[in-house]
Amino acid sequence: MNKFTQGIIFVSLIMFLMVSIVAVVIFFGRTDVDYSKVAFVLNGDSSDSGWNRSLCNGIDEYSESTDISVLTEYNVTEESGHVDDVCEDLIKRDAGVIFLTSYGFTSECKSLIEANPGVAFYGTSSDVKADNYTSYFVRYYQARYLAGILAGMHSKSGKIGYVAAKKNPQVVRGIDAFTLGVRNVNENATVYVKWTDSWSNPNAEREAARKLIEDVGVDLLTYHQNQPNVIDTAEEYGIDSIGYHEAFKGYSDHYLTSVVCNWGALYKELLGEDGAVGTAKDMCWLGLEREVVGLSEYSPAVSNNEMLFIEAAKARILSGKDVFTGLIKDNTGVVRSKEGESITDEELMNDVDWFVEGVEIYVK
Amino acid sequence: MSNKKKVIKEKKGFLIIVGFLAVLLIIGVFLGIRLNSLIINYIESNVKLNASELADKFGEQIDADFKEMTAISKYIEKDYGIKDRLVYNSSVSGAYSVMGLIDINGETVAGDDLNRSLYYGVQESLRGYKKVIYSETEGMLFTVPVYSNDNVKYVLYRLYPVSKISDRFGVESYGGQGTAGVVDSNWKLTVPLVGAPDHDLFYEEEFVNTYREIVKSLTVSSSSAKYLKTENGDYYLFGADVDEYDLRVCGYVPKSVVSKGISLITGLVIWVFGIMFLMIVIGSAFINGAEARYIEDDAIKKAKEEADKANRAKSDFLANMSHEIRTPINAIMGMDEMILRDTKEKTTKEYANLIKKSSNALLILINDILDFSKIEAGKMELVESEYSLSDVISDAVNMVELKIKQKNLQFDIDVDNNLPNRLYGDGARIRQVMVNILNNAAKYTTEGSVTLKVSGEMLFKEVKLRISVTDTGIGIKKDDIHKLFSNFERLDLKRNRAIEGTGLGLSLTQKLVGLMRGNIEVQSEYGVGSTFTVNIPQSIAGDEIIGDFYRRLEEHKAVGEEIKKREYYIAPKAKVLAVDDNDMNLVVIKKLLKYTQIRVTTALSGAECLKLIERERFDVILLDHMMPVMDGVETLKKIRSMTDFPCESTPVIALTANAIVGSREKYLEAGFDDYMSKPVNGQKLEELLLKYIPSKKVTFVTEEELKSQNNKPAEADSEASNVEQAESVKDTTPIKPQNEVKGEAPKAEQSKESTSKEKAGAKRALIDKDVALKYCGGIEELYKQIIAVYIETYDERVDKLKKDLEAEDFEDYRVQVHSLKSTSLNIGATALSEHAKNVEMALKDGNTAFAKDNHDSILKEYEEVLEEIKKL
């Protein structure tokens, strides 16, 4: 074979290979997203007791009970601009589903969500409307209602403290549901709400709890904060408390139970066993009927009677009569729902800014 | 190329093409698969769109129902009394459904009680949503909230029994060729499948699995479609979200229905690819063919190369031969010159003259052959410079005049007076051309005249010289004219047998003329005479015109006498380094330069040369080319790569025995400053050195001064005295050493030779003086010198040989043996030389054992030769 022919053949082969490589690159780009690779983006990690630890536990539970391979990105700070990069990296690692577990992540990722129509995003905000974005929420208020029943029955003084971060529909409907529960079993009880203006401020939370105990004389405390600082203070004073997010260990019997979300069940509900999505909707608001929310294991201090009342309330909700049905007056006397009426999800999700009868905002 | 090789190569080519086609085929299959999947993707997206449309259509139907129900709910909100009539008027949109109203406690306010399994839908509506749910037993339930202000008071429901669903909500797809239904979030059929399946495929495992994929896709998209291959045929499965309601339209359609026409694309692509494949096969075959031709061309090229090589060998041979012949001719001519000068006897002088004439003719012939070999090898180059046309013509006339006049022919010369005299070109070649055609004319003319006519045509700065020679000779037959210029061809052999010549003259002339961009014309009439006309363009270099040529001719003859005188100079401060592996050559150079008093340092090898120039400044380096270990070119390269040494700017002149054409260019290209061929001619060497030795070191002297100058140092150097006296500076015969032989020298040589023969007796085999003298140009004096050197170098060489053997430095050993070989041959010790040569050859092959074995014997022989030579 002379060099000329060899050269021609060689060049032809090389060209052909190049053309086919280009063809492969053009035509064989990634087509199918692997939905069995689920990524979670968190703004903390499991050392962060309360909110983030509960998420971590849920993720663990979900990944252990399924064949899903889970990717996690811990400690991504909101509004740091990092979440975009983190998600891009996850997509590069073939994540087919990405959970944005912190409220602010969604709007930060808006353009990224639109730029990756093949990747399914889940977030706790309805700021983004896209085919590949699903917002999910938890009907925590149902569990708050159950906690309220326990509190109403357990409190001797009828004075119950509620340390809360900020006034938004989520917090307000939690307080309202809790108070409805309390009032359901104790018509004269009052729920004292003290704002801390922060999701996570241990000092402010403890101070608020202390004030409610010392100044108001509450004998049961609950809260809407990320961490269980309020329980610590309640324990110090030897009064009862109901936690949030997590079933905590190491407290006395005064710590009665916690309002919890079963994130593992939620994820399974949203993604199914194999990462496929069972209930893809614009919005998912899951609660007791899917066993996503509830109360954690009771302390021995919780009586059988109390448990029965709680179960009865649960059954009522499951039968179709949700927390915000029937006659509901706010604490200014305005009737928000008449007998035989039911308040819509729309109102509860976005508009509720009033407190039911029995709520007193403690401002001192 | 051998056939076997060819076959292998063809096989290899075939394999490569087959391999290429295989790759192509793989790519083809690959692309085919990909194309198929692209088509599937395309159809999938089409089906997907279709599913979207179906979902929209279904959604609209549901919306229509909800619209109706919402309208009714508004009535109820305004006037709860309406509810009583409602139940009985439930056939608002046909008699298929039942309506009812339920309050928030689940109590039926109007209409029939609902089965508990449907209560989930009611609950959703209590939260404010419009909801469609399905129960396998009850049917399809539509629920809408009935508001009281912002809160929900009742839920209005409408129930379609199972049997009625298909009629009202059935999803027809692909004109009935597809199968479609509606499922809820649990993938339960809400609206039964509509279509015409032979058997229901929907719940078959393959389908269910594919639907799972579709559900996954629906996470990120509102509709999706997937291709499924089954034993019962190929299908496209699809699913699409129904907006707002947690329902999906899903179904399947046979591939044949959706891919109508599109499958033709596959065919088309396969067809195109097939054609491409075919084209490449044909192309490869063509390339193969071209290759075969190329191989043939290759063979032809090789044959031509071989022929060229042979031709080159011939030219080389010619060049070498002419070179070899020239040396003895020079000797003959020199001797003859001696005889002519010395003898007073008339007959001897006559003989000597005859010898001179013949020698000259022979020399011209040899020069012609040399030129011819140059042209043949394409190495002939014109040496262009400014020259005087009148001088050139005069020279030519002088050279042929005698010959013509001897033949009693009339020689007419007609030179155009107006021709420019100063021209630019290769005057020597023009003269050669002129002489050749004049000689030719003279040769073939027995009576009458030879006429040389030189005229010209002026063209701006150029003149087209027209040299024509007309004779009254035998002429040329018309048929033969075309043979005129072919090599070695002679015409009309019968008649011209008596005429001398090689047949090379005209061929050479034509080639020279061609080289000078000219042409040659011949007009001839057989038996009457011929006219050769040569046209050569030359550049005009000055305004001077020739004028009266005869006057010029006379002037030229006078000048010519003067030119013959040579310049003599002494340069006692000048230093020359001569490098040659053969010490004989070094002796010759030393001797030749004796009269110039130039200080000659010698080196026997390239390495020695490098060592010397590092320390000492020389004005000129004479470097032999053919040296063992490190040849001249290599040495020069080393010299040129050296920096910061005293000889940095010293010119290096190549010395070589190569008289072949193009040598000069080769050496200049290699980086030498000049070139000189061996054997070295004394006058030429002096002239060459004069060019390179700094002029301040040179003192020009007259002949007499030189003689007197040299007489003094000559006394000190008794060995050379004889030579100095013998130096006949007046003589310009080319080979100088011959001049040294004077008067009785030949006699002495003869007597010496005879005595040595007698003395040598049995040991004669050791030294062959005939051979030795041959190498010394027959010069006894030179021979003596050489012997002296030979004796001088003996101790050193033996010492070196011994040391080298001890140190196992066979590289140097070889150099020594090589030198011994040449020097021994020079003194006629042929046997020793042969012996040394054998050892050298063995060492070249790496056979050191042979050298070791022969070491003693060669030293012994060396010693014997030395003893023998000392006796001489």
Side-chain angles (χ1 to χ4, degrees), chain A residues 1-2 5 9 13 16 27-28 35 117 131 142 274 276-277 317 320-322 336-337 340-342 345, chain B residues 13 16 20 24 27 30 34 104-105 123 126-127 129 148 151-153 212 215-216 219-220 287 291 294:
Chain A
M1 178 79 28
N2 61 60
T5 315
I9 289 181
L13 276 175
F16 228 92
F27 298 122
F28 287 67
Y35 291 107
D131 274 349
Q142 293 176 331
D274 59 355
V277 184
I317 291 169
K321 223 176 161 192
D322 207 347
R336 293 288 173 173
S337 173
E341 288 181 1
S342 174
D345 276 1
Chain B
I16 286 181
F20 180 64
L24 199 63
I27 291 170
F30 200 53
R34 187 56 207 164
I104 62 158
N105 298 314
Q123 195 178 16
L126 282 174
R127 284 175 172 157
Y129 303 107
S148 159
N151 297 331
V152 180
K153 191 162 177 69
R212 287 185 77 82
V215 171
K216 284 186 191 183
T219 313
V220 293
I287 287 172
E291 193 204 350
Y294 184 87

Side-chain angles (χ1 to χ4, degrees), chain B residues 126-142:
Chain B
L126 282 174
R127 284 175 172 157
Y129 303 107
K130 288 182 273 185
K131 190 78 185 173
V132 191
I133 62 161
Y134 173 75
S135 154
E136 283 167 48
T137 51
E138 301 302 312
M140 213 165 146
L141 180 77
F142 287 72

Side-chain angles (χ1 to χ4, degrees), chain B residues 508-524:
Chain B
L508 183 61
T509 304
Q510 193 202 26
K511 281 181 171 153
L512 282 174
V513 169
L515 206 61
M516 291 186 282
R517 295 183 295 121
N519 66 330
I520 186 164
E521 298 159 11
V522 185
Q523 284 174 326
S524 185

Side-chain angles (χ1 to χ4, degrees), chain B residues 577 605-616 618 642:
Chain B
L577 174 64
S605 70
E608 203 178 324
C609 160
L610 294 177
K611 218 182 277 173
L612 280 167
I613 61 168
E614 223 171 286
R615 303 184 306 245
E616 207 172 328
F618 296 99
M642 282 163 67

